[in-house]
Amino acid sequence: MTEPITLSAAVIANLAFQEFLKSSAGEIAKKFTTDAIEQMGKLRQTIWNRLRGKHDAAEDALTQAESGNEQAIETVATLLGVEMLDKEFAAQVQAMAQTINAGKILDQSNMTLNISDNAKGWQTKVEGGTAYIGEIHISESQNK
């Protein structure tokens, strides 16, 4: 049996506040199932309950994070990382985050690229992160 993937505090904080990050309710509904969106609220409440009153910066960071402030979400992630030193709490939020992650709607759209006349073309499909698009150059010495 494979080990479950361990998600970092930053990933968990981003999942908890996903619906406030640069997206409307319609956009989040395109990326996550209804159950996953519901779990985001529960995860966020669990984080609120754990951090409230424990850290000076927590209350303000949590409030700002719910406004979509990415810097505040980073602060929440840092505080969450400290709290996740408690193995029991870490297991709890990990399980909730795994449920949310499992509720991601996969993009199964097709991509078609027609190239003619010795033209070059690139296609990419990126979900989060950075896409690096460019040409690969292989010199003759590398092929030997």
Side-chain angles (χ1 to χ4, degrees):
M1 189 170 156
T2 59
E3 292 281 323
I5 297 171
T6 302
L7 300 173
S8 70
V11 170
I12 293 170
N14 276 311
L15 283 172
F17 293 94
Q18 185 71 45
E19 57 190 309
F20 303 110
L21 286 171
K22 296 182 190 171
S23 63
S24 65
E27 287 299 309
I28 194 91
K30 292 178 189 175
K31 296 180 181 180
F32 292 92
T33 63
T34 312
D35 290 338
I37 295 169
E38 185 179 313
Q39 285 298 316
M40 287 176 193
K42 291 178 181 178
L43 175 60
R44 198 169 43 258
Q45 189 61 51
T46 300
I47 293 170
W48 261 96
N49 293 344
R50 181 68 180 220
L51 297 181
R52 185 178 290 137
K54 277 192 153 185
H55 303 277
D56 294 338
E59 193 83 28
D60 188 42
L62 288 162
T63 303
Q64 288 182 26
E66 288 189 343
S67 300
N69 182 320
E70 291 184 30
Q71 186 70 34
I73 294 172
E74 287 177 26
T75 302
V76 170
T78 301
L79 298 173
L80 180 60
V82 171
E83 292 301 316
M84 286 177 67
L85 293 174
D86 174 351
K87 301 285 186 214
E88 191 174 308
F89 177 71
Q92 178 186 8
V93 293
Q94 285 281 338
M96 294 174 88
Q98 292 290 351
T99 302
I100 295 167
N101 234 6
K104 266 189 175 175
I105 297 173
L106 299 176
D107 178 5
Q108 296 189 10
S109 61
N110 293 321
M111 294 174 39
T112 304
L113 177 65
N114 296 314
I115 299 176
S116 60
D117 299 327
N118 294 321
K120 293 181 182 179
W122 292 271
Q123 276 190 310
T124 61
K125 189 182 290 187
V126 179
E127 183 179 317
T130 304
Y132 296 96
I133 306 167
E135 219 173 298
I136 299 173
H137 298 278
I138 301 173
S139 66
E140 287 297 316
S141 62
Q142 290 176 333
N143 289 332
K144 294 180 182 176

